[in-house]
């Protein structure tokens, strides 16, 4: 049986904090990379992340904090990357330590910008990490609910199922149910698309479309997601599993969803920039929309919801006009 060894968290946001809380309660020791020393010092003093999920308390004696990425990578066997996708490349530029032999998990729900690659693809192509050493963590799972110990279901995807199973044992608890999958690419791309569709749901909410239409939007979204996943990574998968459809639904409907919140503001008439400033948090779907649009220029999949969100966010088409055109395409 594969042993995950010593585990480190890379990233300091809300999802990183939630995953760290789950892992350290099993292992009683983690490494934790955060880029800001002042935030590390505040964390040690307060016993919780000073910026995210402040109600989640930690025994800081069980955590080795460092703002030196290479120090963390050298000392730990399993690396869980939970940084916003737009910043992943910048963090990794500091990396001088070979990670080919590490077990690398991504809990990043985004595409690496400019490269237009899912995170596991990026680690494979740029850092030569073999696919059997690459895994991903999929939802549906809002960090806020995980921190509150509300029942959640997580899927660990890896080409090496033994490694996926080993990490599910680290995550499993009374309030975390787990399963495994070999569909790493499908899980990663679906986690990007569901953010795009959540923005669409928010835009429609901001425009006062009701629950009846939201249901139609989500049913069309899962069909669109399935078309894309089948095109980019054909394999036998059930798109109605919780890691695909469940993650889509929670992101599209929940008040915890920052992508839905961002879309609602756009639907109410905010500009992209003003919505981003007011939110003070990253809506990864904004970046994911552009990346997915560029990827689909080569794939030629029929994706009217993606196209509509792209037109609103990047072409500055009036949301009312664009969504009306979208509704006319639904049945």
């Amino acid at each position: 049986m594969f042993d995950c060894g010593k585990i480190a968290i890379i990233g300091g946001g809300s999802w990183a904090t939630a995953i760290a809380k789950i892992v350290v309660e099993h292992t009683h020791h983690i490494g934790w990379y955060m880029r800001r020393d002042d935030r590390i010092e505040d964390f040690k003093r307060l016993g919780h992340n000073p910026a995210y999920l402040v109600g989640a308390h930690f025994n800081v004696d069980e955590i080795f904090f460092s703002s030196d990425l290479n120090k963390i990578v050298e000392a730990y066997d399993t690396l869980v990357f939970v940084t916003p996708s737009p910043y992943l490349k910048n963090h990794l530029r500091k990396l001088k330590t070979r990670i080919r032999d590490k077990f690398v998990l991504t809990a990043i729900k985004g595409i690496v910008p400019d490269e237009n690659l899912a995170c596991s693809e990026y680690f494979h192509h740029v850092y030569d990490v073999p696919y059997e050493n690459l895994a991903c963590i999929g939802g549906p799972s809002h960090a806020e609910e995980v921190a509150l110990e509300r029942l959640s279901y997580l899927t660990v995807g890896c080409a090496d199922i033994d490694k996926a199973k080993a990490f599910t044992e680290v995550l499993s608890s009374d309030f975390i149910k787990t399963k495994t999958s070999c569909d790493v690419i499908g899980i990663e791309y679906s986690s990007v698309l569901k953010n795009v569709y959540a923005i669409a749901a928010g835009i429609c909410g901001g425009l006062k479309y009701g629950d009846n239409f939201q249901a139609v939007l989500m049913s069309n979204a899962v069909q669109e997601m399935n078309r894309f996943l089948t095109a980019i990574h054909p394999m036998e998968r059930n798109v109605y599993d919780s890691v695909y459809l469940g993650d889509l639904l929670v992101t599209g409907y929940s008040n915890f969803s920052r992508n839905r919140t961002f879309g609602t503001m756009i639907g109410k008439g905010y500009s992209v920039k003003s919505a981003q400033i007011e939110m003070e948090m990253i809506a990864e779907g904004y970046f994911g929309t552009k990346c997915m649009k560029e990827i689909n220029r080569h794939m030629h999949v029929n994706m009217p919801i993606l196209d509509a969100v792209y037109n609103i966010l990047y072409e500055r088409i009036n949301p009312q006009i664009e969504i009306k055109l979208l509704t006319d395409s639904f049945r």
Side-chain angles (χ1 to χ4, degrees):
M1 182 69 178
F2 176 75
D3 184 351
C4 293
K6 293 169 66 180
I7 300 170
I9 309 297
I10 316 295
S14 56
W15 190 216
T17 303
I19 292 175
K21 182 72 173 168
I22 299 168
V23 173
V24 77
E25 287 181 359
H26 276 261
T27 63
H28 299 290
H29 177 80
I30 56 170
W32 198 340
Y33 165 79
M34 292 184 180
R35 66 183 178 85
R36 288 174 51 178
D37 286 312
D38 61 330
R39 192 153 287 173
I40 290 173
E41 291 309 311
D42 286 343
F43 201 132
K44 289 178 178 177
R45 178 172 53 84
L46 297 168
H48 63 76
N49 191 326
Y52 300 95
L53 301 185
V54 295
H57 291 274
F58 292 78
N59 177 357
V60 294
D61 292 334
E62 296 181 338
I63 304 170
F64 172 68
F65 290 101
S66 181
S67 61
D68 184 334
L69 180 59
N70 288 288
K71 187 180 288 187
I72 290 288
V73 170
E74 285 170 7
Y76 290 85
D77 310 297
T78 293
L79 310 173
V80 186
F81 283 84
V82 208
T83 61
S85 57
Y87 306 144
L88 179 63
K89 281 175 71 174
N90 280 337
H91 285 298
L92 290 173
R93 283 196 182 103
K94 306 168 190 171
L95 188 63
K96 305 290 187 246
T97 306
R98 175 185 169 97
I99 61 170
R100 189 181 191 283
D101 299 323
K102 304 288 183 177
F103 184 35
V104 176
L105 293 102
T106 74
I108 301 170
K109 302 192 174 184
I111 298 288
V112 181
D114 302 325
E115 309 293 334
N116 289 336
L117 294 170
C119 295
S120 66
E121 294 175 308
Y122 184 71
F123 279 111
H124 178 72
H125 291 298
V126 178
Y127 292 92
D128 199 30
V129 182
Y131 279 121
E132 59 268 25
N133 283 352
L134 287 166
C136 66
I137 305 171
S141 51
H142 282 307
E144 294 82 357
E145 291 201 353
V146 171
L148 291 168
E149 299 191 357
R150 292 181 178 168
L151 183 61
S152 301
Y153 290 68
L154 297 177
T155 297
V156 178
C158 185
D160 186 331
I161 288 296
D162 283 341
K163 290 178 180 174
K165 285 178 180 173
F167 201 77
T168 61
E169 292 184 8
V170 175
L171 297 175
S172 297
S173 70
D174 291 342
F175 64 95
I176 298 289
K177 307 295 185 187
T178 59
K179 63 184 289 190
T180 61
S181 168
C182 58
D183 185 22
V184 178
I185 300 298
I187 292 170
E188 287 187 297
Y189 276 105
S190 68
S191 73
V192 177
L193 284 170
K194 57 99 180 183
N195 285 337
V196 177
Y197 302 141
I199 292 175
I203 292 171
C204 293
L207 291 171
K208 304 296 186 188
Y209 284 84
D211 292 346
N212 293 342
F213 176 72
Q214 292 282 4
V216 174
L217 176 66
M218 289 294 107
S219 64
N220 277 268
V222 74
Q223 293 172 60
E224 183 171 306
M225 176 187 287
N226 194 34
R227 288 195 296 271
F228 181 83
L229 297 183
T230 300
I232 200 161
H233 187 55
M235 64 172 287
E236 189 173 332
R237 67 169 62 83
N238 184 356
V239 79
Y240 304 114
D241 278 352
S242 61
V243 74
Y244 310 104
L245 178 59
D247 207 9
L248 167 64
L249 293 177
V250 76
T251 312
Y253 289 143
S254 174
N255 292 328
F256 286 129
S257 170
R258 64 188 71 169
N259 289 283
R260 181 184 168 87
T261 300
F262 174 71
T264 301
M265 295 170 78
I266 299 298
K268 287 180 175 178
Y270 283 74
S271 69
V272 167
K273 193 162 191 176
S274 60
Q276 288 173 323
I277 290 169
E278 185 153 325
M279 280 186 64
E280 296 181 344
M281 292 178 81
I282 292 172
E284 290 219 43
Y286 171 72
F287 303 96
T289 297
K290 186 169 186 281
C291 293
M292 292 304 304
K293 179 72 174 179
E294 290 173 356
I295 291 168
N296 198 41
R297 286 197 176 104
H298 305 288
M299 303 296 298
H300 307 295
V301 178
N302 178 30
M303 304 186 76
I305 305 174
L306 170 67
D307 292 341
V309 175
Y310 178 85
N311 288 341
I312 292 166
L313 298 183
Y314 289 93
E315 301 294 345
R316 300 185 181 180
I317 305 296
N318 183 294
Q320 206 156 8
I321 294 170
E322 189 64 40
I323 295 300
K324 176 62 171 66
L325 291 171
L326 182 65
T327 65
D328 289 342
S329 74
F330 289 166
R331 293 293 179 268

